[in-house]
Amino acid sequence: MSHATGLKYLKKDSLPLMWCSGCGNGIVLAALLRAFEELGYGNHNTVVVTGIGCWGKADDYITTNALHTTHGRALAFATGIKAVNPKLNVVVLMGDGDGVTIGGNHFIHAARRNIDLTAIVVNNCNYGMTGGQFSATTPADSFTSTTAYGNPERELDICALAGVAGANYVARGTVYHGRALQNHIKEALNKKGFSLVEVVSPCPTHFGRNNKMKSAVNMLRWLKEKGVTREEYERMTGPEKNGYFVIGKLADRNAPDFNTRYEEIRARALGQ
Amino acid sequence: MVETAKLIQGNQAIAEGAIYAGARFFAGYPITPSSEVAEECSRRMPRVGGVYMQMEDEIASMGAIVGASLAGVKSFTATSGPGFSLMQENLGFAVMAEVPCVVVNVQRSGPSTGLATKPAQSDIMQVRWGRHGDQIVIALSPSSVKECFDLTVQAFNLSEKFRVPVILAADEIVAHMRENFTPPAPGELQVIDRKKPTVPPEQYKPFEPESDGIAPLAAYGSEYVFHVTSSMHGPEGVSNNNPANATWKVSQLHKKLELYRDEIVLTKTFDVEDMDILLVAFGAVTRAARAAAVEARKTGIKAGVLQLVTVWPFPDRELAQLAGRVKTVVVPEMNYSGQVAGEVRRVLGPDPDIKQVNKFNGQIITPQDILKAII
Ligand SMILES: Cc1ncc(C[n+]2csc(CCOP(=O)(O)OP(=O)(O)O)c2C)c(N)n1
Ligand code: SF4
């Protein structure tokens, strides 16, 4: 294990972080910056693209190139960057609202195109920035500021979606399982093609408070208990599975990425 | 290789004009009557070292061209009514983040899915005001296949020079019209590239205007590392909600175009020297206006034509200067409310007799339609 701190990628003059105490975003940011350091990423050849949300503010704290885009559209902007400059490391940071609710269509198609981006979706099960309304990943029956009597809708499995859409790498981690998270991020960054790391993370201010997990400690306990390996999950029977989720690597393949495919098409076009 | 005259379509000329101007990235979503621009780009881009991407929708198309442009590649998209509506949020992003790019809106009949895919000129106000927040863009409107090519090159030039999205407000008629056209040789038309920073990388501020009022734009992947946001930001590109900074930033977006207004506003005139009646037209309707002016002169009515090549910023001075010579101004346009006629009234005030000729049923405005208003 290296001793990368990632601190050299942290914009010190933007501190303190805007996030609430107990928010998981800082832990994800730290894991990401350490992964940058371990992989030797340069500021000039890396672009961090964010959408809008609490996690989407992360670009304010990172020294690399950055593009803070509109809500839900970060992957579309990132696609344009990567399509014209395959040499850049393009990392896309989105919340669950940003990445798979308003931005669900772009998410599906970025994965399907297998464009060489790394998406880090922080899933705090609600819209943190706008006051804790429900998102596509809010569990059924949970309470949010727009589901006072419980959520009538079912939650979306972000990793399953990325997997069927064609992502080359899919993993789910939590901010409780820090070391595993950093490894997933590193593997995702290293992977050519579309890679996704979903990070289940606490929003004590809204989701926690609304669901009897007011303290950050309670929320971390929730992650510790409910995040299980695939083997553990499969051993459970139907109703036992309720509330549990699988953590770990969920897909790892090497289908050609968009830029590689486009190079082939170019060669064909020029041959004609 | 000497290019010879070919019968080509307006949409093809737009695609070729973009490539001539140096565009190497197109992202779009098919919609009639603009799809030929995408089709042409899908064939041509891979052959000139560029990239064609068909995105999942127009929101993504607009986002992708902004991303590609920031990576240093001239980029554009093409769409029509419904798609143009979807692009507005990210088009506003390009205005605020000062990202050069070109958006072709081949106007078709609305409202909504309306009389798909018949011609119209009913997006003129949307082009100007379609986005939330106070902001300004440049819009050009071609009236022929040659202008489709030339104004696309011009659109890129203005966009690159002023770091602003430029909208080519074409219409179904010019887009699908076929005319004989000889593409210009390389070098024949001026091609402008965005100004790159010259300061040492650690001193670069992506939104700090130089003495000419325009901030240089680096590219992702160069030695310059920079931060771009459409949230309120200071010269260094970092969020800044200070009221004084917001005053500076919003003013800057407007002032850079006000400063170069005369370079941006392009018009053409026909037979205006001795005219008694002024026809103000843009896009394909310019052709009907010119034909009507010729016919009117045969009956002894001296009509002249002002073509608004640039629609936004509105050619107010050019219009006022010409209108001073006449008692009657006629504005033919393919919309109900007289979107350009309203601007003409704003500029000329209540005195002159301003006649509108409006058609909004997907049918072209004919010279006869205009003559009826004159004679
Ligand atoms: C087009 C648009 N619609 C709505 C909003 C308001 N909005 C800002 S952030 C956000 C949701 C943020 O939730 P999420 O993406 O999960 O990120 P988090 O704040 O939880 O990190 C919403 C709805 C917006 N900025 N733009
Ligand atoms: S509202 Fe929630 S997601 Fe946003 S900073 Fe606070 S704890 Fe984090």
Side-chain angles (χ1 to χ4, degrees):
Chain A
M1 203 58 205
S2 87
H3 296 285
T5 60
L7 282 175
K8 65 173 179 172
Y9 300 94
L10 187 68
K11 255 192 195 167
K12 318 255 170 357
D13 48 0
S14 301
L15 300 176
L17 301 169
M18 55 87 67
W19 299 314
C20 311
S21 75
C23 178
N25 287 342
I27 296 171
V28 190
L29 179 66
L32 176 69
L33 300 189
R34 280 198 292 267
F36 279 0
E37 186 169 332
E38 287 182 10
L39 296 173
Y41 275 24
N43 285 326
H44 68 285
N45 64 1
T46 304
V47 188
V48 168
V49 184
T50 57
I52 304 285
C54 293
W55 175 230
K57 292 288 279 178
D59 57 282
D60 281 357
Y61 310 116
I62 303 177
T63 56
T64 66
N65 288 300
L67 178 59
H68 183 59
T69 70
T70 49
H71 187 40
R73 319 301 173 194
L75 284 167
F77 287 78
T79 295
I81 296 172
K82 188 70 190 191
V84 299
N85 190 345
K87 289 197 201 109
L88 289 170
N89 307 309
V90 185
V91 186
V92 191
L93 310 182
M94 301 168 290
D96 47 282
D98 207 28
V100 295
T101 312
I102 188 170
N105 199 27
H106 312 307
F107 185 85
I108 293 170
H109 293 285
R112 177 186 60 80
R113 264 180 214 115
N114 205 19
I115 183 136
D116 186 19
L117 309 171
T118 297
I120 315 253
V121 176
V122 171
N123 179 5
N124 57 16
C125 305
N126 74 168
Y127 293 164
M129 176 163 266
T130 43
Q133 300 83 3
F134 74 101
S135 82
T137 66
T138 302
D141 293 315
S142 300
F143 299 101
T144 69
S145 56
T146 48
T147 52
Y149 310 108
N151 183 12
E153 300 182 12
R154 292 175 295 179
E155 67 270 28
L156 176 74
D157 182 333
I158 304 176
C159 290
L161 179 63
V164 292
N168 260 359
Y169 181 91
V170 179
R172 184 184 288 116
T174 83
V175 299
Y176 177 80
H177 306 85
R179 183 157 299 187
L181 174 63
Q182 196 178 319
N183 268 337
H184 291 319
I185 293 178
K186 212 167 119 185
E187 283 184 340
L189 291 170
N190 257 338
K191 174 64 75 175
K192 199 162 188 189
F194 188 79
S195 53
L196 163 79
V197 180
E198 174 192 345
V199 189
V200 187
S201 177
C203 170
T205 303
H206 299 299
F207 193 75
R209 186 176 48 84
N210 285 323
N211 292 281
K212 302 201 180 89
M213 293 184 286
K214 212 169 174 177
S215 77
V217 178
N218 281 342
M219 293 216 79
L220 288 174
R221 194 173 297 135
W222 162 64
L223 297 177
K224 179 181 174 209
E225 279 173 14
K226 301 294 178 180
V228 296
T229 63
R230 188 186 298 210
E231 294 72 34
E232 287 169 328
Y233 190 78
E234 272 160 14
R235 256 184 265 126
M236 298 179 195
T237 55
E240 276 175 17
K241 290 188 160 119
N242 210 355
Y244 288 86
F245 53 87
V246 176
I247 55 173
K249 185 155 73 176
L250 300 166
D252 190 352
R253 52 200 165 210
N254 292 303
D257 69 303
F258 172 81
N259 287 90
T260 304
R261 288 284 298 136
Y262 203 78
E263 274 308 321
E264 291 169 18
I265 299 300
R266 264 194 196 137
R268 252 186 246 168
L270 290 170
Q272 273 176 17
Chain B
M1 196 178 78
V2 179
E3 295 277 0
T4 48
K6 279 185 286 208
L7 201 58
I8 78 161
Q9 195 197 44
N11 275 337
Q12 263 177 304
I14 290 170
E16 290 303 331
I19 289 168
Y20 184 97
R24 290 297 179 270
F25 185 70
F26 176 96
Y29 188 89
I31 183 167
T32 310
S34 75
S35 298
E36 293 84 1
V37 181
E39 288 165 2
E40 187 70 9
C41 284
S42 75
R43 286 187 289 267
R44 294 280 283 121
M45 282 297 180
R47 297 173 68 96
V48 295
V51 179
Y52 166 85
M53 284 198 90
Q54 193 160 299
M55 300 303 288
E56 50 274 20
D57 58 30
E58 289 85 349
I59 301 173
S61 306
M62 191 63 225
I65 68 167
V66 168
S69 180
L70 288 169
V73 175
K74 291 187 189 177
S75 303
F76 80 121
T77 186
T79 189
S80 185
F84 190 59
S85 292
L86 286 182
M87 286 178 183
Q88 297 302 322
E89 188 190 14
N90 287 342
L91 185 52
F93 182 100
V95 172
M96 183 62 160
E98 302 188 66
V99 183
C101 55
V102 171
V103 176
V104 179
N105 177 19
V106 181
Q107 293 171 86
R108 68 182 224 186
S109 219
S112 187
T113 42
L115 261 181
T117 55
K118 298 278 192 290
Q121 296 177 304
S122 45
D123 301 347
I124 295 302
M125 283 298 161
Q126 186 189 21
V127 163
R128 174 66 184 85
W129 297 108
R131 299 148 299 283
H132 61 279
D134 208 357
Q135 51 175 270
I136 182 168
V137 293
I138 297 173
L140 312 176
S141 185
S143 70
S144 64
V145 168
K146 180 172 167 18
E147 282 184 1
C148 281
F149 187 101
D150 293 355
L151 294 186
T152 301
V153 176
Q154 186 69 15
F156 275 98
N157 286 348
L158 295 170
S159 175
E160 291 285 315
K161 186 159 181 192
F162 302 120
R163 282 186 64 173
V164 66
V166 177
I167 296 159
L168 190 76
D171 53 63
E172 189 275 344
I173 303 166
V174 283
H176 282 163
M177 171 188 299
R178 284 176 192 277
E179 289 183 304
N180 255 335
F181 173 66
T182 310
E188 202 175 316
L189 296 186
Q190 188 193 18
V191 167
I192 297 176
D193 294 333
R194 67 192 65 171
K195 197 171 62 169
K196 289 266 163 28
T198 51
V199 296
E202 61 282 4
Q203 284 172 25
Y204 177 54
K205 294 183 181 165
F207 298 97
E208 184 166 71
E210 292 183 332
S211 55
D212 62 356
I214 313 296
L217 182 58
Y220 291 144
S222 70
E223 54 179 338
Y224 293 89
V225 174
F226 63 109
H227 187 276
V228 174
T229 174
S230 68
S231 295
M232 196 54 73
H233 51 266
E236 52 305 297
V238 177
S239 292
N240 182 341
N241 290 347
N242 183 309
N245 179 68
T247 304
W248 166 78
K249 177 72 204 187
V250 175
S251 309
Q252 152 68 12
L253 294 178
H254 289 80
K255 280 191 179 144
K256 67 177 179 184
L257 298 189
E258 288 162 11
L259 190 61
Y260 293 94
R261 186 255 177 226
D262 290 348
E263 189 178 329
I264 297 168
V265 173
L266 309 169
T267 58
K268 290 183 184 172
T269 54
F270 308 95
D271 299 325
V272 293
E273 286 71 26
D274 61 343
M275 66 179 171
D276 296 320
I277 291 184
L278 173 63
L279 309 180
V280 179
F282 60 100
V285 173
T286 309
R287 308 166 77 95
R290 289 181 63 184
V294 171
E295 285 306 309
R297 279 178 184 266
K298 287 184 190 157
T299 68
I301 298 169
K302 291 185 194 144
V305 177
L306 168 66
Q307 180 193 351
L308 311 178
V309 177
T310 300
V311 181
W312 300 113
F314 195 72
D316 45 9
R317 284 180 223 152
E318 294 72 5
L319 169 67
Q321 202 227 335
L322 285 174
R325 307 185 198 163
V326 299
K327 288 207 176 60
T328 306
V329 178
V330 180
V331 190
E333 56 188 314
M334 297 181 67
N335 57 50
Y336 174 85
S337 45
Q339 298 184 12
V340 163
E343 285 301 294
V344 170
R345 269 197 197 90
R346 181 178 65 78
V347 172
L348 301 181
D351 290 339
D353 176 23
I354 297 169
K355 290 198 166 87
Q356 290 184 210
V357 177
N358 301 97
K359 224 164 171 179
F360 40 88
N361 58 359
Q363 305 276 299
I364 207 162
I365 290 183
T366 62
Q368 287 68 35
D369 293 329
I370 300 171
L371 281 170
K372 269 187 237 155
I374 302 179
I375 299 173

